[in-house]
Amino acid sequence: MFDLRQFAAIAPDFYQKLHWHEQLESTNDEAHRLAEDGVEHATIVLAEHQTKGRGRRGAEWMSGSGDGLLFSVVLRPQLEQRYYGRIALAAGLGIALVLIDEFSIPARVKWPNDILISSKKCCGILVEASNDCVVLGVGLNVLNAPRGDEFIAINDVASGPVSREKILALVLAAIMGEVDRCAENFALQLNRIEAISYLSGKKITFLSGEQQHQGSVVGIGEDGSLLVRTNGRLRQFAQASDIQL
Ligand code: BTN
């Protein structure tokens, strides 16, 4: 079970804003509900287990009870709505840098919302906007990953002991810092994202709407969209799914 006393000792400021639940349908749903009640920026909802955890495009997010960190943060960002695409990337950068800097794990950010280790998914990020706020949901595989070759947990590759309490404290600090920065100087942040971007320079096929596209990834735009050269033409995609190399 997540040790709330330990977390309070290492991250007292975040603990003050933490709503912990043993079980929820989805931390994102609970965060939306709290946001409607008017909770402050950086309110956090953490659950040990979700019965209806969701990912992008209606996908299910699976995680065994206590295996990972399942949390959502209510954000009231100082950012125009057209730049909300930056938020998942900024959060992804923060989380990936914690894995790189604290655990020497070569994590990569995969546009738009995944963090990969050895090409396997260790973390998914779900950003949902409603009225004047944004809910940032994070599913991070810490102790065990869900079954399936495509997933990995930090514990599978870390060389030392892994503490969910410590990781939550570190990733929350990193996320909040990077999300603030994405409103101020996204160009600088983009350079840091590009340096650990999984897709940079790669040839990909993907779906945008119903249509399949093929092209080379050139970079990320100032609104967080993916820049792809397809048939000699540079195009911007705010949404893409089923990205394959
Ligand atoms: C994705 O990879 O498609 C995003 C997955 C996001 C999962 C997290 S788990 C905590 C939060 N609550 C949810 O219902 N979803 C997000």
Side-chain angles (χ1 to χ4, degrees), residues 26-28 50 52-56 61 70-72 113-114 121 124-126 137-139:
S26 155
T27 57
N28 266 35
Q50 293 183 131
K52 283 192 189 162
R54 63 171 176 277
R56 285 171 71 234
W61 181 260
L70 309 170
F71 65 95
S72 302
N113 70 325
D114 292 344
K121 184 158 168 167
I125 297 168
L126 178 66
V138 176

Side-chain angles (χ1 to χ4, degrees), residues 61 63 67-69 71 94-107 115-118 120-124 138-146 151-171:
W61 181 260
S63 182
D67 279 348
L69 286 167
F71 65 95
I95 297 166
L97 289 180
V98 168
L99 301 186
I100 294 168
D101 295 341
E102 300 287 329
F103 297 93
S104 304
I105 293 172
I115 296 168
L116 307 186
I117 301 171
S118 306
K120 296 182 179 195
K121 184 158 168 167
C122 153
C123 178
V138 176
L140 180 58
N141 303 326
V142 180
L143 300 177
N144 296 295
F151 297 109
I152 193 165
I154 296 172
N155 201 32
D156 295 332
V157 284
S159 52
V162 167
S163 147
R164 287 192 302 153
E165 294 75 14
K166 185 176 168 207
I167 292 176
L168 183 63
L170 290 169
V171 297

Side-chain angles (χ1 to χ4, degrees), residues 168-188:
L168 183 63
L170 290 169
V171 297
L172 282 172
I175 288 171
M176 298 315 295
E178 296 299 347
V179 166
D180 281 352
R181 272 190 282 278
C182 85
E184 292 157 11
N185 192 345
F186 190 58
L188 191 64

